[in-house]
Amino acid sequence: KGHLPVAFCSWHYTGRNPAPGELERMDDFAKVMPVFAFVHMGAEYNKTAQPGQVSIAHAIADRGPEFVIANNPHWVQNTEAYKNTLIVYSTGNFIFDQLDAEGMRSASVEASITITADAATDKWLALGEQCMALHDKCLEEAKKQQLPKVKMQKTFQIAVGDSSGKLTKKADTTLQLAVLERLQWSQTMQQIGQSQ
């Protein structure tokens, strides 16, 4: 057991596109350690990702994160496997004050990562004990030690939520199926090579 260092990279692109140098900041991390990418973007109240969302998500995925999860539209949107990277365009509202049926749906993503233990993994886990604070020196230390990037296998699951009745709960079968269809979850998982 231990703590594996990962980088959380996030951006806010509601109403604007990435400025020069913003996405590139992730490059240093993605070359060395796992990166989880999160984006606040996309026009509200659309059932599918719009071209601007897709363009930004692809630009982020091209930089090597383990996955990209976006949000802002308030409605669950589609997913895709872009160059074998999972992109979730909108997870909907886990809990919010919108009372329309679409605004009470959510998709929570569970990402499980399996790594193989070896001498490099042991060094990463030892480093992880020092990497538990915002703005730590984990990246610099990993570079200094010349640690190779951890090889991993990823699996993803979805939990569909329903916040009608003012309390978020697991959705009934009908809503689960509707949200999984909207996400195009089965097709995306097949493209990633994960059977359902």
Side-chain angles (χ1 to χ4, degrees), residues 12 14 39-50 53 70-78 88-107 161-163 175 179 182-183:
H12 188 283
T14 301
V39 192
H40 190 239
M41 69 174 179
E44 297 178 338
Y45 316 118
N46 287 291
K47 293 180 180 181
T48 59
Q50 303 301 296
Q53 285 172 272
N71 222 354
N72 183 63
H74 295 289
W75 291 3
V76 173
Q77 292 184 335
N78 54 301
V88 179
Y89 286 101
S90 179
T91 60
N93 290 329
F94 180 75
I95 187 166
F96 205 65
D97 61 356
Q98 295 179 338
L99 300 177
D100 64 298
E102 285 285 348
M104 291 187 278
R105 298 175 175 187
S106 65
D162 174 5
S163 62
L175 183 55
V179 169
R182 169 82 56 80
L183 290 166

Side-chain angles (χ1 to χ4, degrees), residues 116-194:
T116 302
D118 59 20
T121 305
D122 291 342
K123 290 178 182 177
W124 272 111
L125 295 177
L127 178 59
E129 296 301 320
Q130 304 168 34
C131 300
M132 295 194 196
L134 185 62
H135 303 296
D136 59 35
K137 301 292 183 201
C138 194
L139 177 63
E140 291 83 359
E141 187 60 32
K143 286 180 175 180
K144 183 175 152 186
Q145 293 183 34
Q146 298 181 338
L147 295 177
K149 189 169 180 177
V150 174
K151 291 178 178 50
M152 60 182 66
Q153 285 123 0
K154 300 168 287 233
T155 58
F156 302 98
Q157 299 294 325
I158 287 287
V160 177
D162 174 5
S163 62
S164 62
K166 298 183 182 178
L167 180 64
T168 303
K169 59 192 171 298
K170 185 175 180 179
D172 65 25
T173 302
T174 302
L175 183 55
Q176 286 182 42
L177 293 173
V179 169
L180 290 172
E181 183 177 327
R182 169 82 56 80
L183 290 166
Q184 302 170 341
W185 191 249
S186 181
Q187 299 94 312
T188 298
M189 291 299 97
Q190 286 176 357
Q191 291 168 352
I192 287 177
Q194 180 180 318

